[in-house]
Amino acid sequence: MSVKTDEKLLDITDPVEEVAEDKAASEDELKEFEGDILHALLAAANYQNGKDETYEVRIIRKKVVMFTFRMRPLSEEEYERCRTKNTKYVRNRRIGVKVPETTNSVRYRSQLIYEATIPEDRAKLWDNKQMWEALNVASGIDAIDKILKSGEKDKILEQLDAISGFDNTELEETTKN
C-alpha cells in the first residue's frame, strides 16, 4: 500500500526565505519596485485560492495503480468548515453557549480529502452512484472511508497539508530557534 507523491510536491520545500534586514535598502527597494510588489501581492492572493493548482494522487496497492485523482489546496476557511461539520456541539448550562463536545476525526479526514478532490474527479470517484449502491454508502465522504485505508488517508492528508501551506517541520524549526 502506498500513495505516490506528485513530483510538484517535491518542489515545495521552504516557501519563506529569511534575509538580513537593512532598513535603508528595504525602503529604497520598496520605492523602486512598488509596482512589482503590488503585482506579487496580487499574485499571492490569487495563489491562495488554489483553484488552478492541482496535484495528482495515485493509490498503489501491491505495485499496481488502483486509481488516480487530482486534488487542490484548501483554504483555512475550508479546513474550518470541514471541522465544524464534523464536530458535535452541546450547550454549556453554566455559561449558556455551545461548546464543542467531540469531533468525528475519521469523517473529518475523509471530508478534507473529498473537498480537496477537484470536481471532475470527485464526480467520477466519490460521487459515483453505482459505487454507492455497491458499497452500501450514502455519500462520497462515506465512500472514501470504505475505499481508502487509514494509512493512505494519512499520506494524502500530509500532501494536502503541504500544498495548502501547513508544513509542521517549518513551524518546529522556527520554535526551536
Side-chain angles (χ1 to χ4, degrees), residues 28-55:
D28 290 341
E29 286 177 11
L30 281 174
K31 289 176 185 172
E32 184 176 338
F33 299 109
E34 191 169 350
D36 290 340
I37 291 172
L38 177 60
H39 180 29
L41 291 172
L42 292 174
N46 284 337
Y47 177 78
Q48 174 133 5
N49 72 18
K51 303 296 185 207
D52 300 330
E53 182 184 357
T54 61
Y55 299 88

Side-chain angles (χ1 to χ4, degrees), residues 87-91 98-104:
T87 301
K88 180 181 175 184
Y89 292 89
V90 294
R91 182 169 298 282
K98 288 185 178 183
V99 293
E101 181 181 43
T102 59
T103 298
N104 184 340

Side-chain angles (χ1 to χ4, degrees), residues 12-140:
I12 302 174
T13 54
D14 190 6
V16 179
E17 181 181 336
E18 291 186 26
V19 292
E21 197 172 317
D22 179 8
K23 291 195 180 211
S26 300
E27 290 176 14
D28 290 341
E29 286 177 11
L30 281 174
K31 289 176 185 172
E32 184 176 338
F33 299 109
E34 191 169 350
D36 290 340
I37 291 172
L38 177 60
H39 180 29
L41 291 172
L42 292 174
N46 284 337
Y47 177 78
Q48 174 133 5
N49 72 18
K51 303 296 185 207
D52 300 330
E53 182 184 357
T54 61
Y55 299 88
E56 185 177 75
V57 176
R58 294 187 294 170
I59 303 302
I60 303 169
R61 294 184 184 157
K62 296 183 182 179
K63 299 182 182 181
V64 175
V65 177
M66 302 301 284
F67 61 94
T68 64
F69 64 95
R70 293 166 293 166
M71 67 179 180
R72 63 176 180 80
L74 294 179
S75 69
E76 193 171 0
E77 291 82 17
E78 289 170 311
Y79 270 91
E80 185 59 30
R81 189 172 351 107
C82 290
R83 181 183 318 280
T84 302
K85 281 184 178 180
N86 294 291
T87 301
K88 180 181 175 184
Y89 292 89
V90 294
R91 182 169 298 282
N92 184 319
R93 292 181 182 180
R94 278 191 273 163
I95 55 178
V97 296
K98 288 185 178 183
V99 293
E101 181 181 43
T102 59
T103 298
N104 184 340
S105 62
V106 173
R107 188 162 174 84
Y108 168 65
R109 292 160 38 93
S110 295
Q111 185 159 6
L112 287 174
I113 294 169
Y114 181 83
E115 293 295 327
T117 304
I118 65 166
E120 298 86 26
D121 291 351
R122 190 184 312 156
K124 286 189 285 186
L125 292 173
W126 316 133
D127 290 339
N128 184 327
K129 305 287 187 204
Q130 291 175 329
M131 186 229 354
W132 287 8
E133 289 177 17
L135 293 176
N136 195 27
V137 296
S139 71

Side-chain angles (χ1 to χ4, degrees), residues 13-16 18 161-162 165-177:
T13 54
D14 190 6
V16 179
E18 291 186 26
D161 286 347
F166 296 106
D167 188 6
N168 292 338
T169 58
E170 194 176 303
L171 179 61
E172 288 172 10
E173 289 175 18
T174 305
T175 306
K176 288 178 185 176
N177 293 331

